[in-house]
Amino acid sequence: MTESFNNWTDYDNWLVQNYDKYAMTSLNEKDGKVVVEYVEKSEWEKQQKEKGNL
């Protein structure tokens, strides 16, 4: 999933509200916006276990 924000403060507010639900997989600035890619934490944990990282 992807979400974009107008500034870092908007991203920070979103992150605080969603930290327990989602794992961020990519964080960049593009065209003046903060762009985050993320997956549900359960999906991230599954992927990490399959890779042998957990």
Side-chain angles (χ1 to χ4, degrees):
M1 295 178 271
T2 303
E3 192 81 36
S4 64
F5 302 91
N6 292 323
N7 55 56
W8 286 99
T9 301
D10 289 348
Y11 165 72
D12 289 343
N13 291 335
W14 178 88
L15 180 62
V16 167
Q17 292 174 8
N18 293 288
Y19 185 78
D20 291 337
K21 295 185 225 175
Y22 301 118
M24 302 342 131
T25 58
S26 175
L27 181 61
N28 298 293
E29 282 189 69
K30 183 176 181 181
D31 299 327
K33 296 203 180 244
V34 178
V35 180
V36 61
E37 294 180 22
Y38 59 97
V39 296
E40 290 187 16
K41 280 204 174 184
S42 59
E43 179 62 27
W44 181 83
E45 289 172 355
K46 178 182 170 189
Q47 292 172 358
Q48 294 304 306
K49 285 178 183 175
E50 289 172 355
K51 293 178 183 178
N53 294 334
L54 290 179

